[in-house]
Amino acid sequence: MSKIEEVRSAMVAAMKAGDKGTKETLSLLLAALKNKAIDKREDLTPEEEVQVVLKEIKQTKETLEMAPADRADIIDECTKRLAVLEQYAPKMMDEAEIKEAIEATLKELSIDAPCAKDKGRIMKSLMPKVKGKADGKLVNEIVAGYMG
């Protein structure tokens, strides 16, 4: 079952349950998935579907970060939206898993003591392995921690 079908059936269930917030979030996600498929002019691959979900999560997090502290309505709405969207995102790698991937990449590239000039090579090799499975910002911070 594609993500579009999965989201559509969950949206119908939310409508029947009278859960307006979940229904609206799923509606936005469904629209984003459909728009991506229309732009591509064919069905999305599972990887592309995941990218759309992650993009929606990222945009919601950005809205949450930019919301003024006194706007509880926006903060509340974004928090609820994230809870719904994260059900459709893949499980993200934790710090330990990212460190394992970095160490494997360092061995692969034969880098014993990484320095700042190696960072580009490390990231270039590492990112395709963790794309869609780890937060790029976190990966960058952990790689920076390995620099001598």
Side-chain angles (χ1 to χ4, degrees):
M1 180 152 93
S2 77
K3 275 269 193 273
I4 290 178
E5 294 161 353
E6 189 181 330
V7 171
R8 186 179 291 126
S9 67
M11 191 175 82
V12 170
M15 278 193 287
K16 287 180 181 174
D19 186 349
K20 191 177 174 199
T22 301
K23 183 250 169 213
E24 285 176 4
T25 300
L26 292 174
S27 178
L28 289 169
L29 179 57
L30 185 61
L33 287 164
K34 283 181 174 178
N35 286 339
K36 180 77 173 170
I38 290 168
D39 290 347
K40 190 181 167 199
R41 292 195 164 96
E42 59 185 62
D43 290 342
L44 299 176
T45 64
E47 291 80 27
E48 290 168 327
E49 291 175 340
V50 165
Q51 290 306 315
V52 171
V53 173
L54 293 176
K55 183 179 176 192
E56 290 294 313
I57 289 173
K58 183 179 179 190
Q59 287 175 340
T60 305
K61 283 182 178 174
E62 286 171 358
T63 303
L64 188 58
E65 286 171 13
M66 294 170 72
D70 61 344
R71 290 294 309 267
D73 57 330
I74 296 174
I75 294 169
D76 192 41
E77 183 184 330
C78 288
T79 307
K80 287 178 182 170
R81 186 174 290 171
L82 281 172
V84 174
L85 290 172
E86 285 171 351
Q87 295 171 12
Y88 297 93
K91 182 190 166 294
M92 296 305 242
M93 295 169 77
D94 62 16
E95 217 168 301
E97 292 170 311
I98 293 171
K99 284 180 178 175
E100 283 175 27
I102 292 170
E103 284 163 16
T105 302
L106 290 173
K107 280 186 187 134
E108 226 174 79
L109 297 172
S110 306
I111 299 174
D112 297 327
C115 59
K117 70 180 170 95
D118 296 324
K119 189 173 184 182
R121 274 181 46 218
I122 296 167
M123 292 299 280
K124 187 177 178 184
S125 176
L126 177 66
M127 285 314 287
K129 297 175 193 166
V130 299
K131 186 171 171 67
K133 293 182 242 164
D135 178 20
K137 203 170 168 183
L138 180 62
V139 172
N140 194 14
E141 287 170 14
I142 296 172
V143 168
Y146 277 84
M147 300 297 141

